[in-house]
Amino acid sequence: MTEPLPQILPIQPFVRPLTGVPIILPGSKSITNRALLLAALADGPVLLTGSLFSRDTRIMVKSLQQLGFEVVADEKALTVSVRGLGGTIPNAEATLHIGNAGTAARFLTAFLALREGGTYHLDGDPAMRERPMGGLLEALVAMGAATAEFHGKPGHFPFTLRTKGLPGGRIPVDASASSQILSALLMVAPYAKQPSTFVFGAVRPSFVGITLNMMRQFGVDVPAGLTGGEVTVPSGRVYRLPSGVYGIEPDATAASYFAALPLAVGGTALIPGLSRGLLQGDTAFLEVVAKLGLKPVSGPAGLALSAPQAVTEVSLDENFATFSDTFLTLAALAPLLPGPVRISGITHTRKQETDRVHGMATELSKLIGADNVTEEEDSLTIRPAREVLLARARA
């Protein structure tokens, strides 16, 4: 049998300045998948509006349906309705395929532990089998919430989870590989039998902050923040959304592409719904482009970013540890800038769906030459290469 030909995605380049026509962003994947889980945990029906429909969120929807939840998605209207069952999981057995969805993998694994006497088989794509799950599973086992039988590499997919319900208590959590591990435990902890105190080391505070803020929006307040390396979640609480409707924020990572675009082609990008007041830490990218002369201006139609007459910043040295999903945007833009760009705080992105640091370094080297790209464990340095790009365009 012959291998199918790879699909080719045609990309139409921007060749003229932006005209200020509103750019409608998709919903945030991070918030959509959190909202789907919180809606299933809620006591009563929840309608999610502005939802993102991607492979990862479709996997989350399908998994909830396989667990017995009433979930109705309307992709044309960008809505998902979920009938929450107040911490109850209808089906005691299920086989879930998580694809390569990291949020679904971590969130669902913790969620399943709520079911006493459950048996769940979980697997994913080959790439998902390499992504870390050990910190979450170790915490659930230490809590007495589940046992895990691995069918491959210990601490990774595939595995069978036998669940016992959440006892709560004081639990050490290794979330250094992914802040989703801590977020997953936090979201289900209100349904534990006693308060849960999670003791943790290094995490990405911006993404855990999204989780804590969304828990509050769904009616469960967590008294302490992330200071001191531990957080306590009260037990006996129930998620409720008085309005029954939750609006998903536009995706701040996707916004970074359009926020940076005027620096490449000129003109003005107008992005409705985007502001520094969103839950997502990736809005910090707006501060980076502001250093390059793009001053964000909020108005009734949205956030406007207009190209400066000239980029004034001759070099950049930026730590992206708290908003690393956007480092790729700056890296792609960097060859067009007048000075060198150093991007640091990105080691953890080597353990995502691919090694993002090495992937970007490899492709930039093909485009502008290896001499213009320096890859280190925690950083990329990219030197100006506008003339190289112009020569390639003329060739």
Side-chain angles (χ1 to χ4, degrees):
M1 176 180 285
T2 59
E3 291 290 327
L5 293 174
Q7 290 186 333
I8 297 175
L9 176 65
I11 298 175
Q12 186 68 35
F14 286 86
V15 294
R16 287 186 290 273
L18 302 177
T19 59
V21 173
I23 298 164
I24 307 304
L25 297 173
S28 162
K29 180 180 74 174
S30 295
I31 292 181
T32 298
N33 266 353
R34 282 168 172 80
L36 283 167
L37 187 74
L38 291 170
L41 287 165
D43 184 16
V46 175
L47 178 67
L48 307 180
T49 63
S51 304
L52 173 71
F53 286 93
S54 66
R55 187 186 184 215
D56 285 13
T57 58
R58 291 185 184 103
I59 284 170
M60 191 72 168
V61 166
K62 182 179 178 181
S63 296
L64 290 174
Q65 292 169 335
Q66 289 176 288
L67 292 171
F69 287 89
E70 184 182 330
V71 184
V72 179
D74 185 336
E75 298 202 12
K76 186 175 181 180
L78 302 180
T79 62
V80 184
S81 64
V82 183
R83 182 165 294 279
L85 297 176
T88 298
I89 298 176
N91 294 345
E93 295 187 20
T95 297
L96 305 179
H97 193 281
I98 308 300
N100 197 25
T103 51
R106 281 79 182 233
F107 295 171
L108 287 169
T109 297
F111 179 56
L112 293 171
L114 291 172
R115 184 61 148 89
E116 294 187 18
T119 300
Y120 303 102
H121 309 285
L122 292 93
D123 199 359
D125 292 348
M128 189 69 232
R129 293 181 175 189
E130 298 301 317
R131 300 180 71 175
M133 292 289 296
L136 175 57
L137 293 165
E138 288 163 10
L140 292 173
V141 171
M143 192 189 296
T147 61
E149 178 187 355
F150 297 104
H151 307 299
K153 187 195 306 186
H156 294 74
F157 281 100
F159 57 83
T160 297
L161 196 69
R162 292 181 172 84
T163 60
K164 307 176 184 180
L166 284 182
R170 187 175 179 86
I171 308 298
V173 181
D174 180 3
S176 58
S178 173
S179 63
Q180 294 165 3
I181 291 171
L182 181 57
S183 285
L185 293 165
L186 288 169
M187 285 189 285
V188 300
Y191 293 95
K193 295 180 176 64
Q194 60 178 315
S196 303
T197 297
F198 301 110
V199 183
F200 55 89
V203 295
R204 297 169 69 187
S206 59
F207 281 95
V208 180
I210 291 174
T211 301
L212 293 174
N213 281 321
M214 289 184 66
M215 290 170 65
R216 295 183 186 108
Q217 291 172 339
F218 274 78
V220 173
D221 194 15
V222 180
L226 298 177
T227 57
E230 64 178 57
V231 59
T232 298
V233 180
S235 60
R237 306 297 175 89
V238 177
Y239 290 115
R240 287 193 179 94
L241 201 61
S243 70
V245 178
Y246 187 84
I248 306 296
E249 289 180 358
D251 191 284
T253 307
S256 72
Y257 313 141
F258 299 101
L261 195 54
L263 290 167
V265 299
T268 298
L270 179 62
I271 310 176
L274 183 66
S275 73
R276 280 295 277 122
L278 299 184
L279 296 176
Q280 301 162 78
D282 282 1
T283 56
F285 187 80
L286 296 174
E287 297 172 6
V288 176
V289 294
K291 294 179 182 179
L292 297 169
L294 279 181
K295 303 299 182 185
V297 177
S298 295
L303 192 73
L305 300 102
S306 298
Q309 290 186 345
V311 176
T312 54
E313 193 78 18
V314 295
S315 65
L316 279 179
D317 190 339
E318 296 291 328
N319 188 311
F320 273 69
T322 59
F323 55 111
S324 61
D325 284 348
T326 64
F327 96 80
L328 300 167
T329 308
L330 181 60
L333 180 71
L336 299 174
L337 300 178
V341 172
R342 182 175 181 271
I343 301 169
S344 62
I346 52 177
T347 301
H348 61 276
T349 70
R350 293 183 180 276
K351 298 179 181 179
Q352 292 179 282
E353 74 293 327
T354 187
D355 183 336
R356 293 186 179 183
V357 181
H358 184 65
M360 177 55 79
T362 299
E363 299 309 313
L364 276 177
S365 296
K366 294 176 185 177
L367 189 65
I368 62 175
D371 291 345
N372 289 319
V373 182
T374 300
E375 176 187 355
E376 297 178 295
E377 179 62 23
D378 189 47
S379 69
L380 279 178
T381 300
I382 304 154
R383 284 164 281 281
R386 181 180 287 272
E387 294 305 317
V388 175
L389 292 172
L390 288 174
R392 288 179 65 93
R394 288 191 292 264

